[in-house]
Amino acid sequence: MPITLPARKTGKRSMTAALLVMLAASVAGCGTTDRMSTGSIGRGTGKPLELMSSGELRDATGRLGQSYARNPNDKNIALKYAIVLQMNGDADQSLAVMRKLAIAYPKDRDVLAAYGKALAANGQLEPALDAVRRAQTPEYPDWKLVSAEGAILDQLGQRDEARQLYRKAQDLKPNEPTILSNLGMSYLLEGDLRTAETYLRSATSQPNADSRVRQNLALAVGLQGRFDEAEKIASQELSPEQAQANVAYLRQMLSQQNAWSQLKAQDKGKKQTATAVN
């Protein structure tokens, strides 16, 4: 499934909104079922959800919806159904499924974690933070929850606290690509595109990196105006048409009210300041 960016607005605010959508997607997907494939849904070919076409995703959503209607309190079915709903763009319905499941399983760690991520993907950041923290066990911390908490704090603009959590997650799970990707997206949100690219390239170099990590790298490269390279990265897994559509959207977004020049100047200013301090 190609990256879906927000509706066309103008200026730097729209670019920030686009990046927040990408970060929210990383929060929503970093739980125990983040690498679920069509094979786990049934009658699939093992294709990851993020690479499914719109038609394939609709079919998967319909099949899981029927299973969910028959047994709405089945934890595994509800979790999978919430994920495909989210991937299909129905964040409200995904959250409704997770809210009902959280009521049925009020102390289940996996359910609370997924509920928190669904809240974050739906823009309800403070409740999401509370749910993810309640799912955590301090004496046995889960790196996925630590990283998810960091991503939520990033969306709240608390960059330093978020990065501390990403590094804590790295201590728990060294070289984990989703953590490195979240860290890269944190710098992307700040406009530090070179640092973001460094972390995202490190993430994609890991053997267990998935498609979303590589698409985040394509986004970081495209935001620097290297559109051909971004399209090449995206085309490793997306169809040529999907990759071209993503890059075309980036081109348009960067052309609106000179948004690219603003980001480039901000990034250059940060580098000059760092050099002066050194």
Side-chain angles (χ1 to χ4, degrees), residues 192-264:
D192 187 348
L193 303 178
R194 293 186 183 93
T195 302
E197 182 182 348
T198 297
Y199 280 112
L200 288 166
R201 286 199 181 277
S202 179
T204 59
S205 71
Q206 306 306 319
N208 56 334
D210 66 15
S211 172
R212 284 165 303 171
V213 174
R214 285 183 281 274
Q215 297 310 314
N216 285 351
L217 174 60
L219 177 66
V221 170
L223 285 171
Q224 295 178 71
R226 288 149 45 203
F227 299 115
D228 290 343
E229 184 181 352
E231 187 172 327
K232 183 177 180 180
I233 295 169
S235 296
Q236 291 177 22
E237 291 155 311
L238 300 180
S239 71
E241 293 78 13
Q242 289 172 330
Q244 289 168 10
N246 283 350
V247 171
Y249 189 94
L250 279 176
R251 284 180 183 272
Q252 181 178 7
M253 187 171 65
L254 290 171
S255 69
Q256 291 170 349
Q257 291 188 2
N258 208 23
W260 159 240
S261 296
Q262 294 176 25
L263 264 181
K264 186 175 181 181

Side-chain angles (χ1 to χ4, degrees), residues 2 6 19 51 70 86 101 145 150 158 165 204 218 228 233 278:
L19 302 184
L51 298 184
R70 289 192 295 268
Q86 182 69 48
L101 194 63
L145 292 174
Q158 300 177 35
L165 287 170
T204 59
D228 290 343
I233 295 169
N278 291 336

Side-chain angles (χ1 to χ4, degrees), residues 5 12 15-16 18-20 22-23 154 159 163 166 180-200 215-224 250 253 260 263 266-267 270:
L5 295 175
K12 190 173 179 182
M15 184 174 296
T16 301
L19 302 184
L20 283 171
M22 295 299 298
L23 189 63
D154 249 332
R159 303 273 183 263
R163 291 168 193 170
Y166 295 143
L180 291 166
S181 180
N182 277 358
L183 191 52
M185 293 299 287
S186 178
Y187 284 98
L188 200 69
L189 283 169
E190 195 175 52
D192 187 348
L193 303 178
R194 293 186 183 93
T195 302
E197 182 182 348
T198 297
Y199 280 112
L200 288 166
Q215 297 310 314
N216 285 351
L217 174 60
L219 177 66
V221 170
L223 285 171
Q224 295 178 71
L250 279 176
M253 187 171 65
W260 159 240
L263 264 181
Q266 182 180 4
D267 187 32
K270 287 179 180 295

Side-chain angles (χ1 to χ4, degrees), residues 61-229:
T61 304
R63 290 196 300 274
L64 271 172
Q66 292 174 0
S67 298
Y68 177 75
R70 289 192 295 268
N71 193 355
N73 288 329
D74 184 298
K75 185 175 81 169
N76 290 330
I77 290 175
L79 286 171
K80 292 175 183 178
Y81 186 41
I83 289 173
V84 295
L85 283 168
Q86 182 69 48
M87 294 290 292
N88 206 26
D90 195 345
D92 290 342
Q93 182 63 22
S94 175
L95 180 56
V97 170
M98 284 310 310
R99 181 175 286 118
K100 184 173 181 179
L101 194 63
I103 293 171
Y105 295 87
K107 297 183 179 180
D108 188 288
R109 182 172 177 170
D110 289 339
V111 170
L112 278 175
Y115 179 43
K117 292 161 194 170
L119 285 164
N122 211 42
Q124 299 184 35
L125 300 179
E126 294 291 354
L129 196 60
D130 177 66
V132 169
R133 285 172 172 170
R134 284 191 292 116
Q136 188 64 273
T137 304
E139 59 270 25
Y140 300 107
D142 185 327
W143 67 265
K144 293 186 290 293
L145 292 174
V146 174
S147 185
E149 183 180 348
I152 295 169
L153 289 175
D154 249 332
Q155 291 179 80
L156 289 168
Q158 300 177 35
R159 303 273 183 263
D160 292 340
E161 295 89 340
R163 291 168 193 170
Q164 288 175 9
L165 287 170
Y166 295 143
R167 292 185 173 98
K168 178 181 177 181
Q170 283 183 303
D171 290 340
L172 295 168
K173 184 74 171 179
N175 301 318
E176 168 55 40
T178 57
I179 301 171
L180 291 166
S181 180
N182 277 358
L183 191 52
M185 293 299 287
S186 178
Y187 284 98
L188 200 69
L189 283 169
E190 195 175 52
D192 187 348
L193 303 178
R194 293 186 183 93
T195 302
E197 182 182 348
T198 297
Y199 280 112
L200 288 166
R201 286 199 181 277
S202 179
T204 59
S205 71
Q206 306 306 319
N208 56 334
D210 66 15
S211 172
R212 284 165 303 171
V213 174
R214 285 183 281 274
Q215 297 310 314
N216 285 351
L217 174 60
L219 177 66
V221 170
L223 285 171
Q224 295 178 71
R226 288 149 45 203
F227 299 115
D228 290 343
E229 184 181 352

